[in-house]
Amino acid sequence: MRESRFWSLMEGEFGEGYAHVLAGELVISEYQLTARQALEAGVQPRQVWASLCLQQDVPEERWLGRDITPKRG
């Protein structure tokens, strides 16, 4: 996942304004860093997104975005 996709997913899930506040303020337990700090530290955007989704109780069906249904199989 590219960082641009990470930000697209963040804005789609949390709203354009709040996504950036959340990324800069919420400490992700798994890394003890905010999402922004984790990205700057080199953590892959996909990993940051998955950790953030788990911590914020984002339903798994929205992990790929609101309009993309995950493939089962």
Side-chain angles (χ1 to χ4, degrees), residues 51-70:
S51 297
L52 197 130
C53 285
L54 286 170
Q55 187 164 321
Q56 291 299 107
D57 294 323
V58 174
E60 190 173 343
E61 61 268 12
R62 294 202 314 247
W63 286 16
L64 298 178
R66 292 184 180 265
D67 59 346
I68 301 172
T69 303

Side-chain angles (χ1 to χ4, degrees), residues 1-3 5 9-10 16 18 23 28 32 50-51 54 67:
M1 171 188 295
R2 294 176 189 243
E3 194 169 324
R5 178 68 178 146
L9 289 168
M10 285 288 288
E16 195 172 316
Y18 185 60
I28 300 173
Q32 291 301 302
S51 297
L54 286 170
D67 59 346

Side-chain angles (χ1 to χ4, degrees), residues 14-73:
F14 300 108
E16 195 172 316
Y18 185 60
H20 295 274
V21 172
L22 188 69
E25 298 293 326
L26 176 73
V27 174
I28 300 173
S29 300
E30 184 174 348
Y31 305 113
Q32 291 301 302
L33 299 168
T34 66
R36 191 175 308 279
Q37 290 169 331
L39 291 170
E40 290 171 357
V43 180
Q44 292 297 310
R46 181 179 304 280
Q47 294 172 302
V48 176
W49 174 245
S51 297
L52 197 130
C53 285
L54 286 170
Q55 187 164 321
Q56 291 299 107
D57 294 323
V58 174
E60 190 173 343
E61 61 268 12
R62 294 202 314 247
W63 286 16
L64 298 178
R66 292 184 180 265
D67 59 346
I68 301 172
T69 303
K71 294 179 182 177
R72 301 281 183 207

